């Protein structure tokens, strides 16, 4: 299950006490059903704003977002979201945290309990169903957050720097596991990151953004075969993509010599 996402001429300007804050300007983007697209850019360039706008949680100042052709005018239900902070409830165990999504949507808990257990096993959390979030490592907590985001089989998964708070080794493992998971799910994914390697290794296309107000600098299609494990990161194609993205950041003044 996957859906198409279209972003047309999107501007978002926040109002604040010190005046208007332009966060996004003239963003156009078409995402195909089942595509894995990363939004890559510096801190404060509007990446989270773009994701929230797609989710219907931030109202565009100008422009329009469509999911499967339907304009987004209210919070979208057919999505899963994963944030940098896992936002698990400490008083609920792992299984109940995953099933929270089901309860909030008024879906029958009994129908989803077996699939929640299967999903947790799939994510390497077998035997941890009755543990509480504070008993888990940071990586395990993010695995639970991902399980909770996909238990209802959403056609669109929005991930906002989901591995940003993890140590480098855990982050590497999470990336490898996410690619495998996505290759099974085949849902559409919008993945926000400021890590160039992570964006290249996960994505079908990398959307490169400029500094605030965020504009789309370029879109880089990544043609590396999947799964992108092993020595892909030292190969010439990977280095070619990395150089190309760095060049874009230099050209738009995000990086300078
Ligand atoms: P990113 O996720 O790329 O770091 P954000 O989308 O969070 O960027 O923010 C883009 C810009 O908009 C930043 O300058 C941020 O300070 C500003 N901003 C974000 N949310 C608000 C808000 N609710 N009110 C005012 N300004 C905001
Ligand atoms: Mg952000």
């Amino acid at each position: 299950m996957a859906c198409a996402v279209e972003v047309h001429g999107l501007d978002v300007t926040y109002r604040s006490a010190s005046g208007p804050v332009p966060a996004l300007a003239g963003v156009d983007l078409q995402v195909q059903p089942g595509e894995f697209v990363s939004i890559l850019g510096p801190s404060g360039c509007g990446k989270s704003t773009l994701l929230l706008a797609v989710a219907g949680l931030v109202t565009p100042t100008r422009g329009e977002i469509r999911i499967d052709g339907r304009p987004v005018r209210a919070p979208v239900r057919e999505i899963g979201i994963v944030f940098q902070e896992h936002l698990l409830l400490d008083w609920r165990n792992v299984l109940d945290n995953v099933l929270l999504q089901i309860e909030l949507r008024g879906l029958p808990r009994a129908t989803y309990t077996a699939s929640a257990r299967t999903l947790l096993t799939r994510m390497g959390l077998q035997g941890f169903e009755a543990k509480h979030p504070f008993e888990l490592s940071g990586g395990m907590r993010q695995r639970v957050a991902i399980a909770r985001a996909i238990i209802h089989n959403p056609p669109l998964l929005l991930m906002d720097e989901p591995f940003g708070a993890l140590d480098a080794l855990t982050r590497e493992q999470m990336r490898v596991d996410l690619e495998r998971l996505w290759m099974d799910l085949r849902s559409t994914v919008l993945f926000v990151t400021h890590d160039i390697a992570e964006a290249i290794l996960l994505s079908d296309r990398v959307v490169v953004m400029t500094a605030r107000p965020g504009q789309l600098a370029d879109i880089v299609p990544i043609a590396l075969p999947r799964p992108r494990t092993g020595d892909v990161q030292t190969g010439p194609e990977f280095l070619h993509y990395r150089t190309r993205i760095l060049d874009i950041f230099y050209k738009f003044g995000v990086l300078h010599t």
Side-chain angles (χ1 to χ4, degrees):
M1 253 209 321
C3 62
V5 179
E6 298 161 72
V7 178
H8 295 290
L10 178 68
D11 291 1
V12 174
T13 298
Y14 292 108
R15 321 220 158 275
S16 77
S18 50
V21 180
L24 289 172
V27 172
D28 286 298
L29 179 65
Q30 266 84 44
V31 180
Q32 305 303 317
E35 211 182 358
F36 196 118
V37 171
S38 284
I39 317 293
L40 175 69
S43 193
C45 78
K47 302 183 296 297
S48 296
T49 301
L50 178 55
L51 236 53
L52 291 171
V54 170
L57 297 168
V58 156
T59 308
T61 309
R62 252 181 46 194
E64 188 177 58
I65 291 161
R66 289 173 175 262
I67 294 182
D68 278 344
R70 290 187 302 277
V72 171
R73 300 221 170 86
V76 180
R77 288 181 62 87
E78 306 76 38
I79 54 170
I81 308 189
V82 183
F83 297 99
Q84 180 170 336
E85 303 300 328
H86 55 78
L87 305 175
L88 301 175
L89 303 179
D90 254 339
W91 62 91
R92 282 187 166 229
N93 69 25
V94 163
L95 183 66
D96 289 339
N97 262 290
V98 173
L99 289 169
L100 178 69
Q101 178 84 260
I102 298 305
E103 292 170 30
L104 288 175
R105 287 165 186 273
L107 296 168
R109 191 184 145 103
T111 315
Y112 285 87
T113 305
S115 49
R117 288 183 182 280
T118 307
L119 186 55
L120 286 168
T121 299
R122 169 88 176 70
M123 307 207 54
L125 289 166
Q126 190 168 24
F128 290 90
E129 295 87 347
K131 299 273 187 213
H132 287 77
F134 55 83
E135 299 175 276
L136 307 178
S137 68
M140 292 166 99
R141 285 197 285 258
Q142 273 316 58
R143 287 173 195 275
V144 178
I146 294 171
R148 185 180 58 185
I150 62 177
I151 181 65
H152 57 305
N153 294 316
L156 175 61
L157 182 58
L158 304 178
M159 306 185 89
D160 193 348
E161 306 197 32
F163 309 147
L166 304 176
D167 65 85
L169 260 184
T170 305
R171 191 170 181 147
E172 181 79 4
Q173 188 64 56
M174 294 292 285
R175 198 253 310 148
V176 168
D177 293 349
L178 174 63
E179 185 190 33
R180 282 261 158 68
L181 181 68
W182 170 76
M183 287 173 76
D184 287 346
L185 297 174
R186 287 291 168 186
S187 54
T188 309
V189 181
L190 279 178
F191 184 94
V192 163
T193 182
H194 50 237
D195 185 313
I196 297 177
E198 192 171 81
I200 296 170
L201 291 168
L202 279 170
S203 310
D204 296 322
R205 288 188 297 153
V206 178
V207 174
V208 185
M209 311 239 340
T210 64
R212 188 171 75 82
Q215 284 170 289
L216 213 149
D218 209 345
I219 299 181
V220 181
I222 309 292
L224 295 168
R226 294 183 187 274
R228 294 165 181 171
T229 49
D231 53 9
V232 173
Q233 288 184 64
T234 51
E237 289 105 334
F238 175 84
L239 293 174
H240 157 81
Y241 289 125
R242 194 179 137 74
T243 307
R244 181 156 166 211
I245 290 170
L246 284 170
D247 284 348
I248 296 166
F249 281 139
Y250 278 111
K251 180 176 156 196
F252 284 86
V254 172
L255 293 171
H256 40 84
T257 46

